[in-house]
Structures are given as structure tokens and as C-alpha cells.
Amino acid sequence: MKLTDLIDRFLAATTSGFSNETYTSYRRKLNYLVAFVGGGDVDPNLITPETVEGLKLFLTSRNKKRKGAKEVDGKLSPFTIYTNLKTTKYFLEWAYQNGFIDHDPMRGVKLPSEPKPKPKAVEQTVIVKMLEAAATTGEDWERARNLALILCLCDTGARVGGLAGADLDTLDLVKGELMVTEKGEAERPVFLLPPTIEALKTWLEFRQELGPLERTVFINKYGTRLTRGGIYKILRKVADAGGILDRS
């Protein structure tokens, strides 16, 4: 079996039921492994712990990175290197445990520690512009949702993915509390300020009118949950309307 065929099997087995974003992310990360070993026709049984150690060096010394759909000059960030190696580990261990390769290529290989990203400060003027744009851009229901969403992000510091999956049943508007589950973490409470609570009350009235098909707090016009990518798209749209994005 060729490496590309094994990757296809891995993706089919591990991303079924998940968003296309998960599938695309795994494939993009495993493309680095394919490039390093010399192409997709390679026999996966030829991948050894030494291969993985070489991949670590390849990623660290690489002077090209992806920016959107383009490849540009620059080093991969420590976080990108870490997530690429973690995905490679997941793939190779899956292949070994399911009998597709006859040895464990991760045996004795240590991954670098997960880097802790420093929070990026957002200027108060940017937040004000985002809130003003959210309150004036789109249809009534969009304005209500987007304003509540941005206020939630400001109040809680939660990851976008955490808010995307937040369940309506865990929202307590009396206590000003919402439960979120973020990547690699257990469920945790986040706390909401009075303006955000009021914005959520308004949004929930519109939410009901949309005919929700899922129990997530934030949904789209079809009644289904917002994905992480969908929230980023909303934030870009609002930032563009507020004149925050640099189009030069």
C-alpha cells in the first residue's frame, strides 16, 4: 500500500462525523510528511523513528510556510511544528495499531512540548469599532447574533471553537454563566457581564424565530450550529464593515 492510500484510509476512519475543517487540517499537516519522504508512492513500512526525527529537523529548518492559499518565505511557528508532528504521531500510531505497518515508527520519538502562545492584546478602539459594526451590519437577526457573539468573546477570552460548540442548555442568564469545552481541555465555565447578558437575551429571541435545528447557542440562518470557520468569517465581515481590515 502506498503512503497516500494509507493517509486516505486514515482520514476516512478518523474524520468521519467531523467538519471538513478537521479533514482539511489533517491532510494539510500530513502533506509535510509526504514531501519529506519523497512522495506519496513510498511504502509506509519504510517510515522509521529515524524518519520522524528527520521530519522534525525538516520542519524546524524549513524556510517556506503557508499563508492562506499561498506559500511565502518564512519559518514555521513553534505551534505549527508541534501540531504537524502531533498529527503525524496520531497517523503513524493509528497505522501501526490497525496492522497497516509492521512496526511503530514513533517508538522512542519525543515530540517537542506544546508551546504556550502569548495572548494578543486587542486595542480598545478596535473592540469599539467591531461592536459598532456588528450592531449596524446585516439583517436584524444577524446584528443581534453578531453583537452577542463578539461580546461573549470579549468577556470570556474563550476560544472561537469553544463558543461554536457552546450548548444552550449550559447558558444561565441569571448567573451570567456559560459552559465551554475547548480543544484539549475539560468543560469549564465562563462568565458574562450585564451588557452581554442583555445582548444574548435579544439574540435568543431571534434565534427561536430562525427555527433552530441544533442546541448550540449560536446558529446560522439555516438553524444549524456555527462552525469555527463560520465564526471567523463573521468576524472578518464585521471587521471589514468597521474599516478595521487593511485592504492595501
Side-chain angles (χ1 to χ4, degrees):
M1 181 184 297
K2 299 188 297 186
L3 177 58
T4 50
D5 293 335
L6 186 55
I7 289 174
D8 287 342
R9 288 201 180 196
F10 166 75
L11 294 173
T14 60
T15 66
S16 177
F18 290 87
S19 66
N20 285 337
E21 187 177 355
T22 301
Y23 174 91
T24 302
S25 176
Y26 281 1
R27 183 173 286 284
R28 184 173 61 246
K29 289 175 172 63
L30 290 172
N31 281 342
Y32 284 103
L33 173 64
V34 173
F36 176 68
V37 300
D41 290 338
V42 168
D43 181 350
N45 278 295
L46 298 178
I47 298 175
T48 65
E50 290 74 21
T51 308
V52 182
E53 293 290 353
L55 176 64
K56 289 164 63 176
L57 182 60
F58 171 74
L59 293 171
T60 303
S61 60
R62 185 177 170 84
N63 290 313
K64 293 284 186 180
K65 61 182 181 179
R66 303 292 300 183
K67 189 172 183 179
K70 298 179 180 179
E71 190 170 65
V72 298
D73 292 334
K75 293 283 190 181
L76 298 175
S77 71
F79 186 75
T80 298
I81 293 170
Y82 170 79
T83 55
N84 272 280
L85 291 171
K86 189 175 180 181
T87 302
T88 299
K89 178 178 185 289
Y90 182 25
F91 164 63
L92 293 174
E93 288 182 340
W94 172 89
Y96 175 59
Q97 291 165 4
N98 286 277
F100 292 109
I101 53 179
D102 56 18
H103 63 281
D104 181 7
M106 294 303 302
R107 186 179 182 86
V109 177
K110 291 185 178 180
L111 297 188
S113 299
E114 181 176 4
K116 300 297 181 184
K118 296 179 180 179
K120 296 180 181 178
V122 179
E123 293 182 8
Q124 189 66 28
T125 54
V126 172
I127 294 175
V128 170
K129 286 182 179 180
M130 288 287 286
L131 293 174
E132 289 176 347
T136 56
T137 303
E139 299 179 28
D140 290 347
W141 69 268
E142 284 182 280
R143 296 199 296 270
R145 181 197 63 192
N146 296 349
L147 183 61
L149 175 63
I150 293 171
L151 283 169
C152 281
L153 287 169
C154 292
D155 279 5
T156 66
R159 291 174 181 265
V160 166
L163 284 183
D167 194 291
L168 187 62
D169 294 333
T170 71
L171 174 62
D172 188 330
L173 293 177
V174 175
K175 293 182 179 179
E177 184 176 301
L178 175 67
M179 301 299 291
V180 297
T181 303
E182 298 179 323
K183 190 172 183 180
E185 298 179 5
E187 187 178 55
R188 69 180 180 91
V190 294
F191 303 98
L192 310 167
L193 296 175
T196 305
I197 294 171
E198 292 305 311
L200 281 165
K201 288 178 180 178
T202 301
W203 156 237
L204 292 179
E205 292 178 4
F206 282 106
R207 181 187 181 280
Q208 189 60 34
E209 293 176 7
L210 291 174
L213 301 176
E214 299 190 52
R215 294 294 296 169
T216 48
V217 174
F218 296 105
I219 59 174
N220 57 32
K221 65 181 179 181
Y222 303 109
T224 58
R225 70 175 59 205
L226 285 178
T227 63
R228 188 174 63 172
I231 293 179
Y232 280 125
K233 186 175 180 180
I234 290 168
L235 295 177
R236 286 192 294 269
K237 178 181 177 181
V238 171
D240 195 18
I244 297 167
L245 293 183
D246 181 6
R247 295 296 185 182
S248 59

